[in-house]
Amino acid sequence: MRRIIILLLLLVIALGSAGAVWAHGVKITYTVTFSPTIAIEAAYDTGEPMANAQVIVYAPDDPKTPWLTGECDDDGRFSFSPDPSKPGTWEIQVRQAGHGEWLKIPLDEEMMQSGQGVVTEGGDEGFSTAQIVLMSACVIWGFVGTALFFQSRRPPAQEPGEAA
Amino acid sequence: MKKKPFVMLIVLLLAAAMLAACGDDKDEKKDEAETETPQIETGTLEFYANGEDFVRQGFVSKDGWNLSFDQLYITLTDIKAYQTDPPYDAESGGELQANVTVGIEGTHTVDLAAGDADADPILIGTAADAPVGHYNALSWRMVQAPEGEAAGYTLLLIGTAEKDGESIAFTIKLENEYEYVCGEYVGDERKGFVEADATADAEMTFHFDHIFGDADTPPDDSLNTGALGFDPLAALAEDGVLDVDMAGLETALSADDYQMLVDILPTLGHVGEGHCHEVQTG
């Protein structure tokens, strides 16, 4: 039993360590509010703001031509008022010194007209490889545990020739 | 008691089959996405590899070495572009959900330093009849070259390093293979918009300043603090010549420097300035 537990733990550790490797250890996060302006806060995963990062905004009706360009302030903040006549997904590129990221903000007509608060945060979506491996190991362990439970409750088998 | 291992085996097989079925389901969905492409208008998508001005024009490393490259061979395969919805987020590295996939066949070894200082990125191949739409994700593998001067290596860097009157002719041969999955290109112009009967481009970008650092970037920037620089490599040169592969580097570099290099290599692949998710393959 102990061997099985150790083997499963080793499996999880081994597979987890062979998972994703992050380019340059940087992650950009955003906080977006709509009231009725869109406010962005761009920072690295260290918490350091993307001071003076370049910002390019693309409107939904022309995704190839910049609708607005600008720079974040010293705290990595940037805000603008989208054109209310252009509902759809507004796309914003933020980049600085070789690091960049996209932000996609869907704004429907009702939001554009009412200007009521929508809050979106950029971040992880889905599961990483390591998370999937860990979850898979947990599922397998769940099966094993269930089997062992019922195995332990099974009455001892009768010996051959024993009276019923 | 003898039945217990048998029951355990059955249970493990059932669990594995269930998990495999989940995987198959995803594969089937991907296949369906690839095969269910309706008869729609098509254009052409060109795939480029770009070592940036760092490779074409040379640059000064974080420790003051003036680096120039005569050749920089890289070998790429399984090159694909995707129309993803939702857009693929390389930061989270989740499942890439493609509605349309196009790619180019074969394994391609190219010289990122080819041409003059203002040369264009290197054209790898072309996907004709690419369904129109926005190809907002890319993936590729960097593998060992099957033949030619770079045979056996994923990267072959040939050039000269100069500092304070000292000159080193370097040949750096790297074997490690990597697989990159990336979101949308990040740069001055958007890429990957295929329109009917028109040509668009997609770019695989490689940031070699991650290895050597960049004197034009502040020393305390993460680019430089996380870069090896050239000093540790210069220390290995003999009579102005450095010819080394990964095995040689593992032997000659300090353990920390070698580990730093190993950690840097997976970060080379980008889409413009957009990071990629690297899946360790070997």
Side-chain angles (χ1 to χ4, degrees):
Chain A
M1 184 64 180
R2 183 178 291 174
R3 283 182 188 169
I4 296 172
I5 293 173
I6 292 171
L7 280 172
L8 278 173
L9 284 174
L10 287 174
L11 177 70
V12 170
I13 292 168
L15 291 176
S17 65
V21 173
W22 284 112
H24 218 45
V26 173
K27 180 177 179 179
I28 303 168
T29 58
Y30 304 90
T31 300
V32 181
T33 57
F34 184 67
S35 59
T37 61
I38 294 176
I40 300 166
E41 189 170 339
Y44 296 104
D45 60 352
T46 58
E48 178 190 355
M50 293 182 71
N52 310 118
Q54 183 181 355
V55 180
I56 307 178
V57 179
Y58 295 87
D61 61 340
D62 187 1
K64 294 173 69 177
T65 307
W67 183 80
L68 175 71
T69 59
E71 274 189 3
C72 291
D73 64 15
D74 290 343
D75 296 321
R77 295 194 177 101
F78 179 81
S79 61
F80 69 98
S81 298
D83 185 339
S85 69
K86 297 180 177 180
T89 299
W90 287 74
E91 299 176 290
I92 304 164
Q93 182 191 98
V94 183
R95 61 191 172 113
Q96 182 189 49
H99 311 298
E101 183 61 286
W102 282 95
L103 182 63
K104 318 268 183 171
I105 308 172
L107 299 175
D108 62 27
E109 284 188 43
E110 187 179 347
M111 292 175 186
M112 296 295 259
Q113 289 170 2
S114 67
Q116 293 304 306
V118 173
V119 178
T120 305
E121 292 183 355
D124 286 342
E125 292 180 2
F127 299 104
S128 70
T129 304
Q131 287 173 314
I132 291 170
V133 168
L134 185 60
M135 286 188 295
S136 301
C138 289
V139 169
I140 292 172
W141 181 242
F143 275 95
V144 172
T146 304
L148 289 174
F149 174 74
F150 284 108
Q151 182 84 6
S152 67
R153 289 167 59 96
R154 185 181 298 171
Q158 292 179 340
E159 293 297 326
E162 192 174 338
Chain B
M1 282 302 288
K2 285 181 180 177
K3 283 187 176 177
K4 191 175 281 185
F6 179 71
V7 172
M8 291 277 293
L9 181 62
I10 295 296
V11 168
L12 279 170
L13 285 173
L14 281 172
M18 192 188 80
L19 291 169
C22 293
D24 287 344
D25 187 45
K26 285 175 186 174
D27 290 343
E28 283 169 13
K29 283 178 183 172
K30 194 174 177 181
D31 289 344
E32 284 171 14
E34 290 179 9
T35 56
E36 281 183 359
T37 304
Q39 296 297 318
I40 55 175
E41 295 177 305
T42 61
T44 299
L45 184 62
E46 295 178 333
F47 291 85
Y48 288 87
N50 188 359
E52 302 189 301
D53 289 344
F54 289 113
V55 172
R56 289 186 292 266
Q57 301 177 2
F59 65 106
V60 179
S61 70
K62 71 171 190 176
D63 40 20
W65 287 90
N66 196 332
L67 305 175
S68 60
F69 298 89
D70 299 321
Q71 287 94 30
L72 201 162
Y73 292 108
I74 188 169
T75 302
L76 307 168
T77 191
D78 288 344
I79 301 168
K80 295 177 182 174
Y82 309 87
Q83 295 182 23
T84 60
D85 185 19
Y88 178 70
D89 181 5
E91 297 290 341
S92 68
E95 186 79 14
L96 188 150
Q97 299 175 43
N99 299 317
V100 178
T101 303
V102 299
I104 54 176
E105 299 291 330
T107 299
H108 307 265
T109 300
V110 295
D111 178 9
L112 295 177
D116 59 26
D118 298 318
D120 291 329
I122 309 299
L123 177 64
I124 303 287
T126 298
D129 298 328
V132 298
H134 185 203
Y135 291 83
N136 57 359
L138 278 181
S139 71
W140 69 87
R141 289 196 300 128
M142 191 166 82
V143 297
Q144 295 176 4
E147 58 189 7
E149 188 174 357
Y153 304 108
T154 55
L155 289 166
L156 175 59
L157 293 72
I158 302 171
T160 305
E162 296 177 312
K163 178 183 178 182
D164 299 334
E166 181 181 1
S167 179
I168 296 174
F170 64 80
T171 301
I172 302 171
K173 300 171 284 197
L174 307 175
E175 301 100 324
N176 296 17
E177 298 188 336
Y178 301 101
E179 179 178 0
Y180 297 97
V181 185
C182 317
E184 184 179 348
Y185 177 88
V186 175
D188 287 333
E189 294 181 3
R190 300 187 79 174
K191 294 184 180 293
F193 286 95
V194 172
E195 297 176 345
D197 302 322
T199 299
D201 63 312
E203 181 182 296
M204 297 164 279
T205 317
F206 299 93
H207 289 194
F208 286 94
D209 54 338
H210 285 201
I211 297 178
F212 302 108
D214 178 13
D216 289 337
T217 300
D220 60 351
D221 189 281
S222 60
L223 170 74
N224 282 330
T225 57
L228 179 66
F230 195 80
D231 275 342
L233 299 171
L236 311 182
E238 293 181 4
D239 299 326
V241 176
L242 171 66
D243 189 342
V244 68
D245 58 11
M246 281 301 282
L249 290 168
E250 185 173 15
T251 301
L253 288 176
S254 71
D256 287 346
D257 282 344
Y258 178 74
Q259 189 57 50
M260 178 179 275
L261 177 63
V262 169
D263 291 341
I264 290 167
L265 293 176
T267 75
L268 295 182
H270 286 68
V271 278
E273 294 175 15
H275 292 164
C276 296
H277 174 74
E278 196 282 325
V279 183
Q280 284 284 8
T281 55

